[in-house]
């Protein structure tokens, strides 16, 4: 009995959220060979909490994964509160100045559990561990070639870089661009320090003290944003409400763009964390006192890239648009990338001969959308810290501006994005007469 050969092979380098989501989304297409190469010896995620919004939840529903994700969410995704914004950099009790409400609210997960859902839907026959990509060759040959650090090699028809903010694939892509088109492209190779430092910690929910009126602490009731001048704190429950994830942020705008010396992530003392927020309201002090072993993160981002695709190479997730966490958008944008790309690759219009057109159609849809969120995430941080030009501490105008920052969440339905991508692909094929 004849065996149907796949129409093409896709190599995915990186087994984080974007890479595994893409692999799962492509797995429904039996005529596409999927190969996942992960540098580590197992799939793992750095960090504690992950949040998504209604558009990403719609994608998980379309992928048939919503039931599994519902089981590990902080609560069933049926709320409406996105974030409760509170002025808190004062020793007396703070006050709410805005609340963001969105359909489904802010859906929160423990990051490791989130990744495991994708892992559980992926065949272990397509995954290869200990494979750190050193270089690729895309010279117009029938197959691309991949070289790994362990000396092994592989071939594929197209390569998708899901290898994160320090992407080696992005490096090679833009080094080649710089050689071909000029040194201006070199600024897109390396991540840039934002001047923002984050302190992160996890707290067992049963250790969080109650408020003075005897009610549950605010971080156990809804996602909180405690705001102060050039600083803010995010707190919300994850792991079905058993754990509180806390991220505190300090922005030093004069250091933005400087080269950061030392490790991006390190341990620090509880005293260092508390010292940064001395004089903040009691509600904040109560949760910070519960963090016994905080970690300190130097937050980096990418300049908005002018392209996500070159030839048969595409960038997805943080390798394409690593952003500040101020809108909780990084995971969602990675999932949007993966879903849109998978639907375009799975289309009957996409063949081995039209792969480059398909990848460009993905870029046409996702680059402006994701770059917009990247820029917006930075702007949102300035708003939360009363540093946005022209708004300052005008709470009424600031609240309206913060609300508008979330417009991208419902700007389009994923199926509309897919339709635009397929229309672009069809137009490209029609203009050049290739099928």
């Amino acid at each position: 009995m004849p065996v149907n050969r796949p129409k093409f092979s896709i190599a995915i380098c990186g087994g984080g959220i974007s890479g595994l989501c893409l692999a799962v989304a492509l797995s429904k297409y039996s005529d596409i060979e999927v190969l996942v190469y992960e540098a580590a010896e197992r799939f793992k995620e750095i960090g504690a909490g992950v949040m998504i919004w209604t558009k990403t939840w719609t994608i998980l529903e379309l992928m048939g994964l919503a039931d599994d994700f519902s089981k590990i969410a902080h609560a069933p995704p049926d709320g409406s509160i996105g974030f409760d914004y509170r002025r808190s950099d004062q020793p007396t009790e703070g006050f709410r100045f805005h609340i963001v409400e969105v359909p489904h609210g802010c859906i929160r997960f423990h990051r490791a559990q989130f990744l495991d859902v994708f892992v559980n839907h992926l065949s272990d026959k397509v995954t290869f561990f200990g494979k750190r990509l050193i270089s690729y060759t895309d010279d117009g040959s029938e197959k691309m070639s991949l070289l790994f650090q362990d000396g092994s090699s592989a071939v594929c028809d197209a390569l998708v870089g899901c290898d994160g903010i320090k992407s080696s694939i992005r490096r090679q892509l833009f080094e080649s661009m710089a050689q071909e088109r000029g040194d201006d492209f070199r600024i897109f190779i390396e991540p840039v320090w934002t001047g923002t430092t984050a302190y992160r910690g996890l707290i067992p929910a049963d250790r969080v003290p109650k408020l003075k009126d005897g009610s549950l602490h605010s971080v156990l009731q809804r996602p909180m944003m405690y705001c102060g001048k050039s600083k803010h704190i995010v707190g919300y429950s994850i792991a079905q409400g058993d754990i509180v994830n806390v991220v505190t942020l300090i922005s030093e705008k004069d250091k933005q763009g400087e080269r950061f010396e030392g490790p991006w992530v390190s341990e620090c003392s509880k005293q260092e964390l508390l010292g940064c927020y001395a004089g903040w309201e009691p509600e904040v002090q109560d949760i910070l006192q519960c963090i016994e072993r905080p970690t300190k993160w130097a937050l980096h981002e990418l300049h908005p890239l002018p392209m996500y695709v070159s030839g048969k190479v595409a960038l997805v997730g943080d390798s394409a648009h690593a952003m500040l966490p101020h809108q909780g958008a990084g995971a969602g944008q990675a999932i949007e990338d993966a879903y849109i790309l998978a639907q375009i690759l799975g289309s009957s219009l996409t063949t081995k001969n039209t792969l480059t057109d398909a990848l460009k159609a993905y870029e046409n849809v996702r680059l402006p959308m994701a770059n917009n969120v990247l820029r917006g995430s930075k702007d949102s941080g300035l708003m939360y810290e009363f540093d946005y030009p022209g708004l300052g501490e005008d709470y009424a105008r600031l609240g309206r501006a913060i609300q508008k920052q979330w417009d991208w969440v419902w700007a389009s339905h994923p199926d509309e994005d897919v339709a635009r991508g397929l229309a672009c692909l069809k137009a490209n094929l029609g203009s050049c007469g290739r099928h």
Side-chain angles (χ1 to χ4, degrees), residues 138 173-183 185-186 310:
D138 182 16
L173 190 157
F174 280 100
E175 282 179 344
S176 297
M177 283 293 159
Q179 292 172 5
E180 294 173 10
R181 303 189 190 180
D183 284 344
F185 283 89
R186 295 193 183 279
S310 177

Side-chain angles (χ1 to χ4, degrees), residues 162-178:
C162 299
D163 50 343
I165 189 170
K166 297 181 181 180
S167 171
S168 64
I169 296 172
R170 185 184 67 249
R171 170 178 289 280
Q172 183 172 337
L173 190 157
F174 280 100
E175 282 179 344
S176 297
M177 283 293 159

Side-chain angles (χ1 to χ4, degrees), residues 240-308:
Q240 297 161 294
D242 292 336
I243 297 173
V244 174
N245 184 43
V246 178
V247 184
T248 81
L249 302 106
I250 300 174
S251 301
E252 300 173 277
K253 294 188 294 297
D254 58 319
K255 294 184 179 180
Q256 180 177 329
E258 289 185 5
R259 181 179 178 82
F260 185 84
E261 302 294 343
W264 288 13
V265 182
S266 59
E267 294 183 352
C268 70
S269 68
K270 181 177 180 178
Q271 289 68 34
E272 179 179 341
L273 169 60
L274 292 174
C276 293
Y277 297 90
W280 282 47
E281 67 166 316
E283 188 169 318
V284 168
Q285 299 299 328
D286 284 347
I287 55 172
L288 297 187
Q289 286 286 353
C290 294
I291 301 175
E292 296 299 332
R293 299 180 61 187
T295 53
K296 185 177 181 179
W297 300 60
L299 299 187
H300 289 67
E301 65 177 357
L302 295 180
H303 291 294
L305 301 186
M307 60 186 65
Y308 291 173

Side-chain angles (χ1 to χ4, degrees), residues 96-115:
R96 173 188 290 172
F97 68 90
H98 189 67
I99 189 163
V100 169
E101 295 184 329
V102 296
H104 287 142
C106 166
I107 312 165
R108 291 100 65 194
F109 306 86
H110 192 290
R111 189 169 284 266
Q113 294 176 343
F114 191 86
L115 191 72

Side-chain angles (χ1 to χ4, degrees), residues 90-135:
Q90 57 197 51
T92 56
E93 186 174 348
F95 57 91
R96 173 188 290 172
F97 68 90
H98 189 67
I99 189 163
V100 169
E101 295 184 329
V102 296
H104 287 142
C106 166
I107 312 165
R108 291 100 65 194
F109 306 86
H110 192 290
R111 189 169 284 266
Q113 294 176 343
F114 191 86
L115 191 72
D116 282 346
V117 173
F118 291 122
V119 172
N120 293 338
H121 283 267
L122 190 64
S123 168
D124 57 10
K125 295 179 181 179
V126 306
T127 58
F128 303 87
F129 295 100
K131 298 296 180 183
R132 183 176 298 279
L133 187 70
I134 297 300
S135 64

